[in-house]
Amino acid sequence: MKALVIKEFGGPLLSEDVPVPQPEPDEALVRVKACAVDQFDLTIRDGKFPTAKTPIILGHEIAGVVEAVGANVDNVKPGDRVTSTLYLTCGRCRYCVTGRETICADFKGYIGIHTPGAYAEYTTIPAVNLVKLPESIPFAEASVIANAIGTPYHALTKRAKVQPGERVIVTGAGGGVGTHAIQLAKMMGAFVMAVDIGEEKLALARELGADVTFDASREDFSTTAREWTNSEGVEVVLELVGTKTFESSLKSLARGGRMVIVGSHTGTTLSASPQAMIANEWEILGSRNVTKRELTEVVALVAAGRIKPIVTGTYPLEEAEALHQRLRKQEIIGRVVLEP
Ligand SMILES: [Zn+2]
């Protein structure tokens, strides 16, 4: 089969002919129909993910068709359309058995890092990770569900617990996660201020329901956030950018406000005043991806047309290098998808 292989971190994506993998007893072999591309791929490729090892086949946002299954697999069968959660979890620890498997205490790693990913025609995936897809969701749209929609779904519903009428800032609103975060927050009855750089991204944010947009290339967005909320500040910030926007995000929070941190690609440290944290009873929360149960909920929302996957282009595997370059320059709006 054709696959894009990274032989050394920082090196090229090499198009190679490699053997089709064989599923282990608990795995399914999946014919990859779509694999979305995201910033995390660049982090891995650049050698900035500590436990990653070469050679490596990237690709963790997957949709495809089950081709074959291992001897122990009975939850999916050949011909099933599927997507997958991203994490390899133990299934036995206290977090796994209480529905919080993304913080598994015996975490085994990531699909597309610690197992070969879907920048390839086929991949093997633990069957426990797979969620079936209805016929009505095209593969390209399905490939963005687990991460680009699932991540903000978990962050907004389980971590921020957004309530109707609350005001929510989404930073990095024009990207893959942000465009779906806007839709989800609106679906939950919140008012949304979308922050990103460039009019094209902000126009899409408005189209998706953002009540206010702010071009972050101008200045600190907290002034606008205060104006928008009669000086009160916002109840929730969904922080998809990280260090770069953290100060403005914090200055935008209302008393009792919650900030959920999802993005970390612009730095490794955050600083906050403990006095301000105490005086305002701010909550700063981390949020990690999406559980399998939540993924089934998100698939249902997409199938019902409540959330529209934002796929702004589909490309053959050969285009992956060019897509990575555009991603590096922050040029990609929504998600782009490879179709191996
Ligand atoms: Zn576990």
Side-chain angles (χ1 to χ4, degrees), residues 33-46:
K33 294 289 191 177
C35 176
V37 172
D38 87 351
Q39 285 285 350
F40 191 41
D41 292 331
L42 298 182
T43 303
I44 304 160
R45 184 180 175 179
D46 292 345

Side-chain angles (χ1 to χ4, degrees), residues 2-292:
K2 198 161 55 173
L4 297 182
V5 184
I6 294 172
K7 295 276 176 68
E8 54 179 336
F9 293 122
L13 297 167
L14 300 168
S15 181
E16 297 210 334
D17 200 30
V18 302
V20 174
Q22 294 304 305
E24 297 291 326
D26 294 316
E27 290 180 338
L29 175 67
V30 174
R31 171 71 179 96
V32 179
K33 294 289 191 177
C35 176
V37 172
D38 87 351
Q39 285 285 350
F40 191 41
D41 292 331
L42 298 182
T43 303
I44 304 160
R45 184 180 175 179
D46 292 345
K48 291 180 184 158
F49 194 88
T51 56
K53 288 191 176 68
T54 54
I56 195 166
I57 298 174
L58 296 174
H60 54 274
E61 300 191 17
I62 304 165
V65 178
V66 174
E67 184 88 4
V69 296
N72 301 338
V73 174
D74 58 7
N75 64 323
V76 292
K77 60 182 188 312
D80 284 347
R81 306 169 89 250
V82 291
T83 187
S84 173
T85 55
L86 281 55
Y87 293 164
L88 306 165
T89 57
C90 79
R92 287 183 293 275
C93 72
R94 72 154 81 178
Y95 306 101
C96 281
V97 299
T98 55
R100 298 191 72 182
E101 75 269 16
T102 65
I103 52 170
C104 173
D106 191 17
F107 192 64
K108 310 287 186 193
Y110 299 71
I111 288 169
I113 299 182
H114 305 101
T115 63
Y119 280 30
E121 290 176 291
Y122 294 88
T123 188
T124 49
I125 300 174
V128 70
N129 288 57
L130 299 176
V131 168
K132 288 185 203 173
L133 295 166
E135 290 287 340
S136 61
I137 307 177
F139 288 112
E141 295 192 3
S143 70
V144 312
I145 295 177
N147 197 18
I149 310 181
T151 295
Y153 181 79
H154 178 73
L156 293 168
T157 64
K158 301 300 192 308
R159 305 300 289 144
K161 298 188 173 75
V162 170
Q163 302 299 308
E166 288 192 320
R167 295 156 296 190
V168 176
I169 288 178
V170 178
T171 64
V177 176
T179 48
H180 301 104
I182 294 168
Q183 295 182 63
L184 288 160
K186 292 303 293 183
M187 186 189 77
M188 295 169 78
F191 299 100
V192 175
M193 176 171 156
V195 175
D196 210 319
I197 293 172
E199 181 47 33
E200 204 180 344
K201 286 180 176 175
L202 299 179
L204 176 61
R206 284 190 290 275
E207 204 178 298
L208 295 172
D211 301 280
V212 180
T213 55
F214 185 91
D215 192 323
S217 61
R218 283 192 281 142
E219 62 208 37
D220 172 11
F221 54 81
S222 66
T223 311
T224 301
R226 293 274 162 195
E227 282 165 14
W228 179 49
T229 56
N230 298 319
S231 307
E232 292 169 359
V234 299
E235 285 76 21
V236 173
V237 176
L238 183 63
E239 182 47 88
L240 301 179
V241 176
T243 302
K244 214 159 130 190
T245 47
F246 186 71
E247 196 184 333
S248 290
S249 292
L250 209 54
K251 279 161 68 182
S252 303
L253 270 189
R255 291 167 183 272
R258 293 98 72 197
M259 180 175 339
V260 182
I261 297 175
V262 176
S264 64
H265 57 269
T266 61
T268 53
T269 56
L270 301 172
S271 65
S273 145
Q275 288 89 350
M277 295 283 305
I278 295 164
N280 293 291
E281 290 203 337
W282 281 332
E283 296 175 53
I284 298 184
L285 305 157
S287 184
R288 195 174 202 211
N289 199 234
V290 64
T291 66
K292 187 173 176 186

